[in-house]
Amino acid sequence: MARINIDDSLFRDHRFINLCIALKSGTTALGAFVQACILAQEHFLTTVNDRLIPLNEWDSNPVLLEVEAVGLAKRSERGIYVLGSEEQFGWLTQR
């Protein structure tokens, strides 16, 4: 499995700070965002769902809903896009 890099800018992003407040823990917020990134990476090469996380998989985890609520993920009719996925996982399509 490929390594997921989380840029230092995440820690300065107001949305991540809001996630820390919502989850009452920086460690829990970081874990939630990493979990969201892992799901995003797993689904990034799945063109059948437009590289998005299926809604049923996302909605089954209340912590991930908090990631979405603060704006670090965006919902569409087809699924969830975790912000930064294209930049972080674009290399997978070239491989």
Side-chain angles (χ1 to χ4, degrees):
M1 178 171 194
R3 182 172 177 227
I4 296 175
N5 295 316
I6 298 176
D7 192 79
D8 288 337
S9 63
L10 175 67
F11 299 111
R12 293 186 300 271
D13 189 314
H14 72 278
R15 296 167 295 191
F16 181 73
I17 293 166
N18 289 340
L19 184 61
C20 293
I21 293 166
L23 296 177
K24 298 178 176 48
S25 166
T27 303
T28 302
L30 184 57
F33 187 71
V34 169
Q35 186 177 12
C37 289
I38 289 170
L39 275 176
Q41 183 177 357
E42 287 174 3
H43 292 283
F44 193 76
L45 294 178
T46 309
T47 55
V48 83
N49 200 40
D50 292 330
R51 303 177 192 259
L52 300 173
I53 301 167
L55 293 173
N56 63 335
E57 195 169 338
W58 183 267
D59 290 341
S60 67
N61 188 328
V63 173
L64 294 178
L65 296 175
E66 292 293 337
V67 173
E68 180 185 352
V70 299
L72 289 170
K74 293 194 179 199
R75 179 178 296 262
S76 72
E77 292 177 5
R78 298 177 319 251
I80 300 292
Y81 176 78
V82 175
L83 272 64
S85 293
E86 183 68 38
E87 296 80 12
Q88 291 295 324
F89 311 130
W91 64 271
L92 289 171
T93 59
Q94 297 171 355
R95 194 174 96 178

